[in-house]
């Protein structure tokens, strides 16, 4: 049977960082990802990152991705693409389905001493009449099309949601040559950074706050051709008589993300609900270990944040995994974890970050109270 | 309708992979080898990938990263192929999926 020291699931920033740390310490690491390419969402992030120089501010997401892939290669991380975890069984056994849809697929059983789950997040949806019509999609889906596949999702775009995703992707859609005809926000205020909002306002995109999408109307070909928006009252209900019809072939929804916890559930790790982090998340301690001994988590799967926090959490998970394998001393591991938690604290500052720091502290506390020490469950 | 991004201020959008021919519902279109099938179709203005089982409603690109299955099509006779994470190969025969087949 195939055996590895560490299995890492998800090759985004968290999974790559975890793999690199573990492999550098001498562990046999297998990193799996269901996509055609590694890097997670980094390769669609063509904007320069904010933050301090320690966190590569001013660097574009895809350059960070390239650097990580290089480091992973140097460290000897084995990467399987188009590979999905489909089962977890007693005795540290993991079933991985390998292969492309329509082609020959095989299910491989792996015995892995440690598992690091870095499965990221999935996009939230806003439902309105016609939301399943082709042409209505996630803002992230549109971003993948333009920045990774270099194909426009459509010509005239209505963006729903003015958080940072909605704002940044609107700008990037314009950079790709699309026409963003409206940005819709149900709240009375723009959700994301003013600097991003200013950029798209300067480019002439009308921003409709206190508005929602009422309907996406398909044309003869069955795809979106018109979008009806309306003002909302204080309870976010559309106000009759305020409808406006916009000519557009695409609606992109940037309504936030929720942690992807399927694998965490498969491993029967204990979850907790956390609104600010996007929904149900696995309880974890300061080693990023879940309620199940030897199973670690990192990145958006532990609560939706951003690439830099994912990277740092990934490093902690990697370090903790090799510590428990006896590849580095507990003293060394603890020293490095403290350094990383300090950097994470620096990332979780400011109007958007403070709340996340508070919630992270609460989660660590909840872990202490409910679990204390991770238990062997098999 | 061509939806390829042909100019970009940051990205090098030139796809150096060879252009190959694939068949979509009987029509031949050009696609870059290795790009997701979905991207090739979208660049040719094809936005409907399948029709639902019960209500026969059209579906197309929704998540773009293999999570939602809305872009599933029949590829070389096999149904339920998520076209957003399946690469193009020369000579592929692709059909709009109707229900489960």
């Amino acid at each position: 049977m195939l055996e590895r020291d560490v299995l890492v699931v998800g090759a985004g920033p968290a999974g790559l960082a975890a793999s690199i740390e573990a492999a550098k310490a001498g562990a046999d690491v297998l990193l799996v990802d269901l996509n055609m390419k590694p890097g997670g969402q980094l390769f669609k992030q063509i904007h320069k990152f904010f933050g301090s120089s320690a966190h590569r501010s001013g660097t574009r997401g895809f350059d960070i991705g390239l650097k990580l892939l290089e480091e992973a290669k140097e460290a000897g991380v084995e990467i399987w693409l188009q590979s999905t975890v489909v089962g977890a069984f007693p005795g540290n056994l993991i079933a991985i389905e390998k292969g492309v849809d329509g082609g020959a697929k095989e299910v491989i059983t792996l015995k892995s001493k440690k598992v690091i789950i870095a499965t990221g997040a999935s996009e939230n949806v806003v439902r309105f009449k016609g939301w399943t019509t082709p042409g209505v999609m996630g803002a992230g889906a549109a971003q993948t099309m333009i920045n990774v596949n270099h194909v426009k999702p459509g010509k005239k775009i209505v963006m729903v949601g003015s958080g940072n995703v909605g704002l940044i992707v609107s700008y990037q859609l314009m950079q790709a040559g699309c026409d963003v005809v409206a940005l819709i926000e149900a709240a009375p205020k723009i959700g994301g950074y003013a600097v991003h909002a200013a950029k798209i306002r300067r480019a002439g995109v009308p921003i409709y706050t206190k508005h929602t999408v009422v309907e996406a109307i398909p044309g003869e070909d069955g795809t979106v051709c018109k979008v009806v928006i309306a003002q909302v009252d204080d309870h976010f209900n559309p106000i009759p008589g305020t409808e406006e019809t916009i000519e557009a072939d695409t609606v992109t929804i940037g309504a936030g993300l929720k942690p992807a916890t399927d694998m965490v559930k498969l491993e029967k790790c204990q979850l907790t609900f956390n609104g600010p982090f996007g929904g149900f998340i696995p309880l974890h301690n300061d080693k990023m270990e879940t309620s199940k001994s030897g199973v670690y988590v990192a990145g958006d799967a532990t609560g939706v944040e951003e690439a830099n926090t994912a990277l740092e959490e990934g490093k902690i998970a990697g370090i903790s995994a090799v510590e428990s394998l006896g590849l580095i001393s507990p003293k060394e591991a603890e020293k490095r974890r403290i350094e990383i938690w300090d950097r994470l604290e620096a990332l979780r500052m400011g109007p958007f970050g403070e709340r996340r720091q508070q919630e992270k502290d609460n989660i660590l506390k909840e872990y202490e109270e409910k679990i204390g020490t991770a238990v062997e469950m098999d | 309708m061509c939806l390829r991004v042909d100019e970009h201020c940051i990205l090098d959008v030139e796809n150096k992979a060879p252009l190959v021919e694939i068949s979509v519902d009987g029509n031949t279109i050009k696609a870059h080898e290795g790009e997701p099938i979905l991207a090739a179709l979208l660049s040719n203005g094809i936005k409907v990938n399948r029709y639902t089982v019960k209500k026969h409603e059209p579906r197309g690109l929704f998540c773009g990263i293999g999570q939602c299955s809305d872009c599933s099509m029949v590829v070389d006779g096999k149904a339920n192929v998520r076209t957003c994470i399946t690469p193009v190969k020369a000579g592929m025969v692709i059909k709009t999926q109707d229900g489960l087949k």
Side-chain angles (χ1 to χ4, degrees):
Chain A
M1 186 187 297
L2 192 66
E3 289 186 32
R4 291 288 182 273
D5 293 330
V6 182
L7 169 71
V8 182
V9 184
L16 280 167
S19 304
I20 292 164
E21 286 299 329
K24 275 207 259 181
D28 243 349
V29 180
L30 175 62
L31 171 60
V32 298
D33 193 290
L34 74 87
N35 289 283
M36 286 162 56
K37 289 175 190 164
Q41 312 315 309
L42 277 172
F43 286 95
K44 60 176 84 161
Q45 301 185 352
I46 63 170
H47 52 281
K48 290 179 179 171
F49 279 30
F50 285 179
S52 66
S53 55
H55 289 109
R56 306 175 199 179
S57 66
T59 309
R60 299 187 195 277
F62 59 81
D63 285 326
I64 295 173
L66 289 174
K67 181 102 198 308
L68 284 173
L69 290 183
E70 204 177 292
E71 284 177 31
K73 200 177 160 193
E74 268 170 34
V77 175
E78 183 182 359
I79 303 180
W80 287 5
L81 295 171
Q82 297 171 322
S83 299
T84 308
V85 169
V86 291
F89 306 99
N92 296 336
L93 298 182
I94 304 281
I96 301 166
E97 188 190 60
K98 194 179 182 189
V100 60
D101 280 2
K105 280 190 180 183
E106 52 175 337
V107 175
I108 295 157
T109 311
L110 169 78
K111 191 176 174 70
S112 184
K113 291 177 189 150
K114 308 288 164 192
V115 174
I116 299 172
I117 302 172
T119 45
S122 61
E123 290 191 90
N124 292 332
V125 168
V126 175
R127 273 156 293 192
F128 44 85
K129 194 175 174 195
W131 73 277
T132 55
T133 309
V136 180
M137 67 192 70
Q143 196 185 25
T144 305
M145 290 307 127
I146 48 172
N147 294 347
V148 179
N149 299 327
H150 308 148
V151 176
K152 293 170 237 181
K155 288 184 173 165
K156 289 186 166 187
I157 321 272
V158 173
M159 176 66 76
V160 184
S162 71
N164 282 325
V165 168
L167 297 173
I168 292 173
V169 175
S170 290
Y171 193 69
Q172 293 178 354
L173 281 161
M174 288 187 274
Q175 286 178 319
C178 300
D179 199 1
V180 180
V181 292
L183 191 143
I184 313 294
E185 169 60 58
K189 274 187 181 169
I190 288 164
Y193 288 118
V195 59
H196 297 315
K199 252 180 158 176
I200 66 164
R201 273 301 291 130
R202 280 202 299 275
V205 176
I207 299 179
Y208 296 80
T209 51
K210 283 186 157 178
H211 274 72
T212 192
V213 175
V214 181
E215 186 178 1
I217 301 173
E220 265 176 35
D221 64 352
T223 71
V224 175
C225 80
K226 285 191 178 95
V227 180
V228 183
I229 64 168
Q231 274 181 43
V232 294
D233 61 22
D234 293 341
H235 304 284
F236 301 111
N237 294 313
I239 303 170
T242 64
E243 293 86 359
E244 267 180 73
T245 302
I246 300 173
E247 301 265 332
D249 59 10
T250 307
V251 181
T252 51
I253 303 169
L257 300 140
K258 59 176 173 296
T261 52
D262 308 68
M263 168 95 193
V264 176
K265 287 178 197 155
L266 210 54
E267 286 281 14
K268 299 189 178 69
C269 302
Q270 204 171 316
L271 298 166
T272 187
F273 188 82
N274 188 293
F277 272 140
F280 281 98
I281 54 169
L283 274 176
H284 58 83
N285 59 16
D286 62 355
K287 294 178 172 180
M288 301 311 294
E289 192 169 25
T290 63
S291 60
K292 189 173 172 184
S293 165
V295 177
Y296 303 82
V297 283
D300 275 359
T302 72
V304 173
E305 294 191 81
E306 38 88 33
N308 274 322
T309 47
L311 263 166
E312 297 289 20
E313 283 192 352
K315 284 181 191 164
I316 296 177
I319 289 165
S320 303
V322 289
E323 177 196 7
S324 66
L325 287 168
L327 293 170
I328 59 169
S329 71
K331 200 179 153 199
E332 169 72 12
E334 193 52 26
K335 184 178 149 252
R336 300 207 42 210
R337 271 195 297 265
I338 289 167
E339 286 168 9
I340 298 171
W341 279 108
D342 279 348
R343 289 205 296 272
L344 276 168
E345 207 166 310
L347 283 170
R348 291 171 181 142
M349 287 200 296
F352 288 89
E354 247 163 49
R355 179 92 189 261
R356 288 190 269 123
Q357 180 63 49
Q358 234 171 48
E359 294 300 334
K360 203 61 163 180
D361 290 343
N362 289 343
I363 289 156
L364 298 186
K365 217 171 112 200
E366 194 180 334
Y367 185 96
E368 280 305 311
E369 287 165 7
K370 286 191 180 161
I371 298 157
T373 312
V375 286
E376 206 68 57
M377 301 224 313
D378 293 334
Chain B
M1 179 165 62
C2 180
L3 288 172
R4 280 212 196 271
V5 178
D6 36 31
E7 257 187 289
H8 203 286
C9 56
I10 297 162
L11 294 167
D12 175 11
V13 291
E14 193 195 339
N15 191 333
K16 284 155 191 110
L19 266 180
V20 297
E21 289 188 339
I22 56 175
S23 150
V24 184
D25 291 330
N27 301 313
T28 301
I29 66 164
K30 286 208 161 52
H32 287 287
E33 191 147 29
E35 73 178 331
I37 296 169
L38 178 81
L41 299 189
L42 199 53
S43 72
N44 282 276
I46 301 166
K47 291 186 180 178
V48 177
N49 303 111
R50 68 179 184 100
Y51 289 88
T52 57
V53 181
K54 287 183 188 167
K55 295 186 179 170
H56 203 72
E57 290 174 354
R59 293 284 186 272
L61 161 64
F62 193 76
C63 83
I65 50 172
Q67 295 183 349
C68 77
S69 299
D70 258 1
C71 66
S72 294
M73 297 181 87
V74 181
V75 177
D76 291 333
K78 283 189 180 162
N80 299 319
V81 173
R82 290 168 292 175
T83 55
C84 68
I85 54 164
T86 306
V88 163
K89 277 189 223 150
M92 265 181 167
V93 178
I94 295 152
K95 288 199 172 89
T96 301
Q97 185 162 324
D98 188 2
L100 296 172
K101 56 184 192 310

